[in-house]
Amino acid sequence: MRKNLKTVLGICLMCAGAFASATTLQAKKKVAYLFTYFTGNAPEQEQICYAISTDGFSYTPLNDGNPVISSDTISLKKGVRDPHILRGEDGYFYMVVTDMRSSQGWTSNRGIVLMRSKDMVNWTHHTVNFPEKYANTTFANVIRVWAPQTIYDKKAKKYMVYFSILTDDGQCPYDKVFWAYANEDFSDLEGEPKVLFDYKKPSIDTDIVQDENGTYHIFFKTEGEQKKGIRQYLAKDLHNPAEWELLPGTFEDTDKAVEGSGVFQRIEGDWVLMYDCYMNGHYQFCTSKDLMKFKRVQDTATQGAFTPRHGTVIAITQKELERLQKAFPNTK
């Protein structure tokens, strides 16, 4: 009888463990997508907005399309652009944005904003003003620090922030992509920025993803060429650009002008490359199985309450979706 009791208890514990594992997996299951973006060049449009989607292509704005974070509460310029959101390895979400008001000119921004959150509703925020932080260096002379993004460096076990820089002292005469590690609480950058890669011509809007084989795919927009477009490097080591491979051609599936490329993996496993066809009034979404060949899926009109400019997308769980809908409900 005692032996049978032990057997029954063992089975019960195994079942309980399996149920707990299944419950945890269900809680982590992604069911939708969150698009973070800004909406235009007017001061009231240089704010962070959210939209959600169930397929990764068609989006519904939250909060009736109004900002979910006010720029004047987080930035020095009282305007932000190019929000990039990342699901961290430590339970936090990370967001970085360009600290800029474009009405002051396209060479008027001097830094970025670092943000961190547990729930994507409440965010801590810290500004990094390059002329102040890097006084007496070439980085004190920045006139552009554009489109920052973050990726987790597994080797260093740190969050790496990368961005394009232009200075007015002749030391960085065209937009070049740099990087720096964030400190432990994501409130500042460590040390001076280092060159991530030098395309030898202006490069902006860089976005880096890593595939299942460990290869990094570095997408960026070329500016200093007759045919502007989205190009791609392949890399095994982010910090050894001498061994990177520059792939031929561009990766947008259109002959229209594009900017603000963003890459994310869909729940189904395929990859999406999205970009703003800013002269034609729509965002374009393309898919790929291997991050090498992309085919257009649809053009999503930017109109009404949904007028996204350069932003990024992550997959979210049911609990996260419900939390965001409750925090930023649509009333119209």
Side-chain angles (χ1 to χ4, degrees):
M1 180 68 181
R2 190 171 295 175
K3 187 179 291 186
N4 290 340
L5 181 59
K6 286 183 178 180
T7 301
V8 171
L9 286 172
I11 293 172
C12 289
L13 287 171
M14 288 174 60
C15 291
F19 177 78
S21 296
T23 302
T24 301
L25 287 173
Q26 184 65 29
K28 291 181 178 180
K29 183 182 178 182
K30 308 302 189 297
V31 300
Y33 304 88
L34 172 67
F35 188 176
T36 64
Y37 59 96
F38 74 107
T39 63
N41 296 333
E44 64 273 15
Q45 296 173 318
E46 291 174 321
Q47 318 274 344
I48 297 170
C49 295
Y50 284 168
I52 56 174
S53 171
T54 55
D55 63 6
F57 307 121
S58 301
Y59 288 83
T60 300
L62 293 177
N63 202 33
D64 294 322
N66 296 312
V68 298
I69 303 169
S70 297
S71 296
D72 60 3
T73 66
I74 62 172
S75 68
L76 297 177
K77 287 287 188 175
K78 311 304 181 186
V80 300
R81 301 168 66 90
D82 320 317
H84 175 263
I85 189 168
L86 174 75
R87 182 186 296 274
E89 304 287 315
D90 52 2
Y92 281 99
F93 295 90
Y94 293 88
M95 197 186 306
V96 285
V97 293
T98 307
D99 190 342
M100 179 177 177
R101 181 169 284 198
S102 62
S103 60
Q104 297 176 0
W106 297 109
T107 57
S108 64
N109 96 288
R110 301 294 182 264
I112 61 178
V113 184
L114 306 178
M115 305 170 64
R116 188 170 74 160
S117 174
K118 277 286 190 181
D119 57 11
M120 295 181 287
V121 176
N122 304 288
W123 294 85
T124 61
H125 56 87
H126 298 86
T127 57
V128 182
N129 181 268
F130 279 57
E132 179 181 341
K133 179 175 177 62
Y134 299 112
N136 302 316
T137 75
T138 190
F139 301 109
N141 302 305
V142 296
I143 53 178
R144 288 208 283 256
V145 187
W146 274 5
Q149 298 204 173
T150 308
I151 189 169
Y152 184 66
D153 187 327
K154 295 177 182 177
K155 290 184 179 179
K157 296 183 179 179
K158 291 184 177 183
Y159 289 93
M160 172 182 155
V161 184
Y162 53 96
F163 36 80
S164 61
I165 280 180
L166 180 68
T167 67
D168 63 0
D169 63 353
Q171 297 301 305
C172 189
Y174 52 86
D175 302 88
K176 192 183 299 183
V177 181
F178 287 76
W179 70 274
Y181 288 125
N183 63 359
E184 188 173 354
D185 65 357
F186 210 70
S187 63
D188 202 356
L189 300 180
E190 296 181 345
E192 289 188 12
K194 301 176 180 67
V195 175
L196 182 62
F197 68 89
D198 185 354
Y199 182 63
K200 305 300 182 182
K201 296 176 183 179
S203 308
I204 62 173
D205 297 350
T206 304
D207 192 15
I208 305 173
V209 295
Q210 190 175 27
D211 66 24
E212 63 275 8
N213 298 316
T215 300
Y216 293 99
H217 297 254
I218 299 115
F219 294 85
F220 65 99
K221 184 195 174 187
T222 62
E223 282 287 283
E225 298 177 323
Q226 185 174 3
K227 171 65 170 74
K228 299 178 182 180
I230 300 166
R231 299 210 65 180
Q232 182 186 171
Y233 284 106
L234 297 182
K236 287 295 184 180
D237 184 347
L238 279 180
H239 303 302
N240 189 10
E243 294 186 0
W244 292 10
E245 177 187 357
L246 179 64
L247 298 182
T250 59
F251 288 81
E252 68 277 8
D253 189 12
T254 179
D255 59 359
K256 310 301 182 185
V258 302
E259 66 181 15
S261 60
V263 182
F264 66 95
Q265 190 167 26
R266 288 209 313 147
I267 297 163
E268 289 79 2
D270 57 332
W271 293 87
V272 174
L273 168 63
M274 65 180 195
Y275 40 81
D276 184 1
C277 296
Y278 58 97
M279 300 290 288
N280 300 88
H282 63 261
Y283 238 88
Q284 190 166 93
F285 294 83
C286 305
T287 59
S288 173
K289 296 293 185 183
D290 58 6
L291 289 164
M292 303 289 278
K293 295 180 180 179
F294 288 88
K295 185 174 179 59
R296 183 179 69 87
V297 173
Q298 74 175 55
D299 298 338
T300 299
T302 54
Q303 61 187 11
F306 185 57
T307 57
R309 302 299 307 278
H310 190 172
T312 48
V313 170
I314 61 169
I316 58 175
T317 66
Q318 182 66 37
K319 184 177 180 180
E320 291 163 349
L321 173 62
E322 292 171 359
R323 181 193 302 135
L324 291 170
Q325 290 174 322
K326 181 178 180 180
F328 308 111
N330 290 322
T331 60
K332 296 178 183 178

